[in-house]
Amino acid sequence: MTQTRNLIDEKGIRTDGRTGDELRKIKIEVGVVKNADGSAYIEFGNNKIIVAVYGPREVHPKHMALPDRCVLRCRYHMSPFSTDTRKNPAPSRREVEISKVIREALEPALMLEDYPRAAIDVFVEVLQADGGSRCAGITAASVALADAGINMRDIVTACAAGKVDERIVLDINDTEDKEGGADMPVAYLPHLNQITLLQLDGSLSSEQFNECLDKALNGCKSIYEIQRLALMKKYFGSESEEIREEQ
Amino acid sequence: MSSSRRSTLIVEHLRKQQMWEAISKGKRLDGRNLDELRPLSIDLGIIKKANGSAKVNLGNSEVIAGVKVETGEPFEGLENKGALIVSAEVLPTASPFIEPGPPDEETIELARVVDRGVRESEMIDLDQLALIPGEIVYTIFVDCSITNTDGNLFDCTSYAVVSALMSCKLPVFEIQDNRVIDTGAIKPAPVTTIPVSITAARIGDSIILDPTSEEEACMNARITITTNSDGHFTAVQKGATGAFNREQIKSISELARLKGQEVRDKIKELTRIGE
């Protein structure tokens, strides 16, 4: 990828004013879709994503059902108005692939064997897209699954790291994704130390690869705290009291 | 919509047990070591009508890749570069479980991961392939037909694409009065690096390389890592419904570099014939 301008200035400040280890602003709200069994809304930088979970419910068509576990179905979709130029609402090949990797990132956390012959549907709708929408989508989806009361082994938390101007930085934004050197989205189960999504495009040396992965995992751990607070806020009311009690 | 499903290939319990037992002793059912790849063979130039072609066999997996070169408009945002498009189709010939029809999500993922490996490594210097910047550029299609499946289609297809591109001859186009003229001459494609993908599967706590269909049906998780000639990582894709821990990723990434270099030497050796 050719770089047209400096994306990090002499002081180490990025195009959007962040340092190398700083996440974008993240806001998560739980239970935003009234009809859904579980739902979440996330603002992750300029990403605005709504996730609704339906199920466990009956599988249609019935032959799709699995006798020993639940079918997890996942749709990642971008609204036509979510991007700079209008996006055709029909599912693109990119969306098909992302739907698949999101499903595979969520599945290891879910106790699907608890709901044989049923289906759980996860709908990830990107209302406004910035860089890292798949990570934001996974982060919100696992909160929505928890909100739906699905049995889970852990929460899934996701974050990207990448290379910009030959430096490894946390949480790549849209400009850095398009003009930077590498982008590595990671999804992580923080308590089980399991990596459930790992992708990379760009070029990284062996040292950079490991630095990038560790940075992304640290980002995931910070995002986990935000997910936890969002869930506590809905189920225990005031978030601050709960935290004080635990500490 | 992406949906969890059963493996189409059913492996009997006894066979699974044998596989687990063998793997726990560091061997696999086909006699390979855990980090051993199946034999790789490459036939070049099998399709005379294509600008470049390769048939690659990795064990019993077989892929034919053909390169077709045309001229066309550049991609949006990449106005001064040639266009490179990689596609893949699993033919109905490939196994009893494949039916004709639009590509399913696994085939779409396969094509996109192979494309990413070639694109992100900047294997072809696309800057050299603009004819009238912003208007007319070389468009290189690499289409892959998977004719037989026995696991690890990611690597087999990737090797086919790389071999076909390394051996392909581009027609020399010239611009006269704003029109494209085919001069009839040919030149090699501007190859800058050789990307090689290595796919690993986790079965229980063991990591195996180059899984067969049978092993894929039993695996917990899969990861494909592409390195370029400098040993840099250029593309990664984790797949399947399981996970890896940090240490496993670290050891697989080192394996991908070492084994990738072995495969790269082999591809270099095999594609030199016929030059």
Side-chain angles (χ1 to χ4, degrees), chain A:
Chain A
M1 265 170 260
T2 40
Q3 297 200 356
T4 46
R5 59 182 163 125
N6 279 352
L7 294 170
I8 300 182
D9 71 10
E10 326 70 61
K11 290 177 194 146
I13 302 297
R14 295 150 74 179
T15 49
D16 52 7
R18 285 183 294 151
T19 62
D21 283 324
E22 206 175 322
L23 289 164
R24 282 171 287 181
K25 250 199 158 72
I26 303 168
K27 190 181 105 183
I28 303 176
E29 237 176 284
V30 185
V32 289
V33 181
K34 293 287 164 285
N35 281 342
D37 296 307
S39 63
Y41 169 74
I42 188 167
E43 287 185 8
F44 199 119
N46 290 325
N47 284 301
K48 290 176 196 241
I49 300 172
I50 205 158
V51 179
V53 171
Y54 286 88
R57 61 181 176 179
E58 249 186 81
V59 190
H60 290 292
K62 272 200 163 155
H63 68 85
M64 298 269 294
L66 299 176
D68 57 340
R69 63 194 159 102
C70 179
V71 173
L72 179 66
R73 293 187 292 209
C74 202
R75 184 180 98 136
Y76 166 96
H77 184 252
M78 292 174 94
S79 298
F81 46 78
S82 64
T83 47
D84 291 335
T85 46
R86 178 177 181 270
K87 193 213 147 274
N88 184 330
S92 65
R93 290 165 67 87
R94 176 180 169 276
E95 288 170 295
V96 172
E97 187 206 331
I98 293 181
S99 297
K100 181 171 189 284
V101 296
I102 291 180
R103 173 171 65 76
E104 291 173 342
L106 296 172
E107 248 187 87
L110 301 176
M111 296 175 155
L112 294 177
E113 61 280 5
D114 290 356
Y115 316 102
R117 301 177 301 281
I120 297 171
D121 291 320
V122 179
F123 300 108
V124 179
E125 187 68 32
V126 181
L127 302 174
Q128 180 171 286
D130 194 4
S133 64
R134 78 192 66 185
C135 291
I138 290 168
T139 300
S142 75
V143 171
L145 283 160
D147 182 39
I150 309 289
N151 294 352
M152 292 168 83
R153 297 183 175 84
D154 200 347
I155 208 148
V156 194
T157 165
C159 179
K163 185 172 76 171
V164 175
D165 291 351
E166 288 305 310
R167 298 208 354 222
I168 303 299
V169 297
L170 183 64
D171 186 21
I172 299 284
N173 67 27
D174 211 18
T175 329
E176 292 168 334
D177 184 15
K178 289 190 178 109
E179 298 177 28
D183 177 25
M184 180 194 273
V186 176
Y188 183 58
L189 308 182
H191 296 98
L192 299 174
N193 182 30
Q194 297 272 296
I195 296 165
T196 64
L197 171 124
L198 179 60
Q199 293 181 295
L200 165 69
D201 45 53
S203 175
L204 295 175
S205 71
S206 187
E207 299 74 50
Q208 287 173 335
F209 177 86
N210 284 306
E211 189 191 342
C212 199
L213 181 51
D214 286 329
K215 193 157 273 193
L217 292 179
N218 280 333
C220 288
K221 287 170 193 161
S222 316
I223 293 170
Y224 162 68
E225 286 303 321
I226 302 168
Q227 292 175 299
R228 202 172 68 100
L229 290 182
L231 281 166
M232 289 209 323
K233 190 173 178 189
K234 177 174 174 192
Y235 287 97
F236 301 102
S238 151
E239 48 192 291
S240 48
E241 262 170 50
E242 282 301 317
I243 306 159
R244 221 171 292 138
E245 237 166 75
E246 258 182 51
Q247 286 168 345

Side-chain angles (χ1 to χ4, degrees), chain B:
Chain B
M1 195 149 83
S2 178
S3 172
S4 38
R5 65 180 93 182
R6 238 178 308 214
S7 163
T8 39
L9 183 74
I10 307 290
V11 180
E12 299 91 340
H13 275 289
L14 269 174
R15 183 84 176 152
K16 265 187 197 167
Q17 218 102 62
Q18 284 176 333
M19 188 188 295
W20 291 330
E21 231 163 79
I23 286 177
S24 70
K25 293 185 186 123
K27 277 282 173 195
R28 293 155 74 173
L29 288 181
D30 54 10
R32 281 187 287 160
N33 294 323
L34 300 191
D35 63 352
E36 192 177 337
L37 312 183
R38 288 171 290 176
L40 170 67
S41 72
I42 301 174
D43 289 313
L44 295 176
I46 56 158
I47 310 290
K48 296 292 173 226
K49 299 212 165 179
N51 302 81
S53 58
K55 177 168 79 84
V56 167
N57 292 76
L58 185 62
N60 288 331
S61 286
E62 181 178 277
V63 177
I64 297 171
V67 180
K68 283 289 204 182
V69 182
E70 296 173 356
T71 56
E73 284 180 20
F75 285 135
E76 207 183 306
L78 301 167
E79 277 79 10
N80 300 326
K81 288 171 182 276
L84 176 70
I85 297 148
V86 178
S87 83
E89 186 187 0
V90 183
L91 299 180
T93 63
S95 98
F97 307 111
I98 311 289
E99 283 170 31
D104 60 3
E105 60 173 33
E106 288 188 22
T107 312
I108 290 176
E109 185 190 26
L110 169 68
R112 285 179 59 87
V113 170
V114 172
D115 181 86
R116 202 171 296 156
V118 175
R119 186 180 303 281
E120 294 298 334
S121 65
E122 299 176 350
M123 178 191 178
I124 304 291
D125 184 4
L126 297 174
D127 290 328
Q128 292 185 33
L129 297 179
L131 289 161
I132 306 177
E135 287 178 39
I136 303 176
V137 299
Y138 276 89
T139 307
I140 303 178
F141 291 94
V142 190
D143 297 299
C144 301
S145 294
I146 290 115
T147 50
N148 195 64
T149 65
D150 188 17
N152 200 5
L153 294 181
F154 285 88
D155 292 354
C156 194
T157 309
S158 169
Y159 303 160
V161 170
V162 169
S163 310
L165 280 171
M166 284 178 66
S167 62
C168 92
K169 300 277 183 270
L170 305 180
V172 178
F173 293 122
E174 273 177 12
I175 301 294
Q176 288 172 7
D177 306 328
N178 266 341
R179 282 178 46 210
V180 180
I181 308 289
D182 188 345
T183 59
I186 51 171
K187 60 176 183 183
V191 173
T192 61
T193 187
I194 305 174
V196 173
S197 76
I198 293 288
T199 296
R202 178 173 70 78
I203 297 184
D205 287 327
S206 303
I207 303 292
I208 58 168
L209 297 188
D210 184 23
T212 61
S213 286
E214 202 174 48
E215 288 166 337
E216 282 182 350
C218 301
M219 72 184 172
N220 304 92
R222 185 199 75 220
I223 189 164
T224 301
I225 300 183
T226 306
T227 51
N228 66 12
S229 298
D230 300 332
H232 285 200
F233 299 100
T234 56
V236 174
Q237 178 92 345
K238 182 243 143 200
T241 54
F244 290 98
N245 63 34
R246 178 71 183 87
E247 296 69 39
Q248 285 162 340
I249 298 284
K250 194 172 166 66
S251 66
I252 296 169
S253 67
E254 284 314 308
L255 262 179
R257 246 153 50 97
L258 291 173
K259 290 287 168 182
Q261 189 53 43
E262 282 175 29
V263 174
R264 188 170 298 112
D265 292 340
K266 184 99 197 249
I267 290 179
K268 268 193 210 162
E269 182 195 319
L270 293 172
T271 50
R272 203 165 292 144
I273 309 160
E275 250 180 33

